[in-house]
Amino acid sequence: MSTKGEFVTYPVGQGLFYAGKLIKGYKEFNFIYDCGSRQKEPLIKCITEYKSSFVSTKTKEIDMLVISHFDMDHVIGLKDLAKYFIIKRIFLPYLKNININLLSYALETLRHYKVISRWTKVILISGPKDDNSKNNDLVLPSLDKLESEAYKSTKSGWRLRKLIKPFDILVFDKTHFTVFD
């Protein structure tokens, strides 16, 4: 069975709101890459269009939200997006020497605006480790496998300051994975 895809870059003006859906049989994997604009009105119109035509009406879930960085023209629509959808995973770029207070503030802000809920997994992407070996037989791990491995290795390691109710943060050192078998 083949995997089909639909992808849309919404016309939000200065900023970015990109959405995609992968479909295999009855399974869907919905993702968004950034959700922002310098002008709120076109962004709200695009979120409404996304809500009515792109995501399956039966799930109302976004499987993966990627936030490239925290400039307003990339994140200002997240609060409005979270009014309509459960966001299962948020992927954030991660620098090993990031200021823990800055990360705590960003996560607490996302929680305050209900972008992060009790169902959301926050995934920090640390980037691939230096691996000079050349492996032509690339076997991609599943997203579920990466989550289970990251959960075991990082659950006790993260203690963020200022968070009222701490939650697990997963760190991925791999940037490629599969979403379907």
Side-chain angles (χ1 to χ4, degrees), residues 4-181:
K4 298 176 185 178
E6 298 175 24
F7 309 95
V8 177
T9 301
Y10 287 94
V12 295
Q14 173 65 40
L16 183 61
F17 179 27
Y18 178 77
K21 176 181 0 184
L22 300 173
I23 306 162
K24 186 171 186 178
Y26 293 106
K27 296 179 184 178
E28 286 185 10
F29 185 87
N30 296 298
F31 68 88
I32 291 179
Y33 189 94
D34 287 340
C35 185
S37 176
R38 290 194 183 217
Q39 299 174 347
K40 189 84 170 179
E41 188 175 309
L43 181 61
I44 297 300
K45 182 179 176 186
C46 291
I47 290 172
T48 302
E49 181 183 329
Y50 174 80
K51 183 180 85 160
S52 65
S53 64
F54 204 80
V55 172
S56 168
T57 54
K58 61 185 174 190
T59 63
K60 293 295 182 192
E61 292 178 342
I62 296 170
D63 295 291
M64 181 173 79
L65 168 64
V66 178
I67 301 174
S68 65
H69 61 287
F70 287 101
D71 287 356
M72 294 305 284
D73 63 337
H74 288 256
V75 299
I76 201 162
L78 296 178
K79 178 181 173 182
D80 296 296
L81 194 67
K83 289 178 187 176
Y84 306 108
F85 300 99
I86 293 171
I87 299 170
K88 292 172 64 175
R89 298 170 191 90
I90 295 180
F91 285 69
L92 301 171
Y94 166 64
L95 303 172
K96 290 185 185 212
N97 296 324
I98 192 169
N99 181 307
I100 198 71
N101 289 324
L102 179 61
L103 180 60
S104 296
Y105 177 76
L107 293 174
E108 189 56 39
T109 301
L110 291 172
R111 182 193 313 239
H112 174 76
Y113 288 120
K114 297 182 172 50
V115 176
I116 295 176
S117 71
R118 63 182 175 166
W119 302 282
T120 307
K121 295 176 183 176
V122 176
I123 300 170
L124 302 178
I125 302 294
S126 68
K129 294 178 182 174
D130 291 335
D131 184 8
N132 295 329
S133 66
K134 296 188 179 186
N135 184 358
N136 293 333
D137 299 326
L138 182 63
V139 177
L140 298 178
S142 72
L143 180 55
D144 292 336
K145 181 177 183 202
L146 285 178
E147 287 177 347
S148 69
E149 289 173 357
Y151 180 82
K152 291 175 189 171
S153 66
T154 63
K155 182 178 182 188
S156 60
W158 282 89
R159 303 242 186 266
L160 296 179
R161 299 175 198 152
K162 300 181 183 177
L163 289 177
I164 297 166
K165 181 182 170 201
F167 49 85
D168 294 326
I169 295 178
L170 312 178
V171 179
F172 285 10
D173 61 359
K174 296 188 180 355
T175 56
H176 297 87
F177 53 82
T178 62
V179 294
F180 300 125
D181 296 337

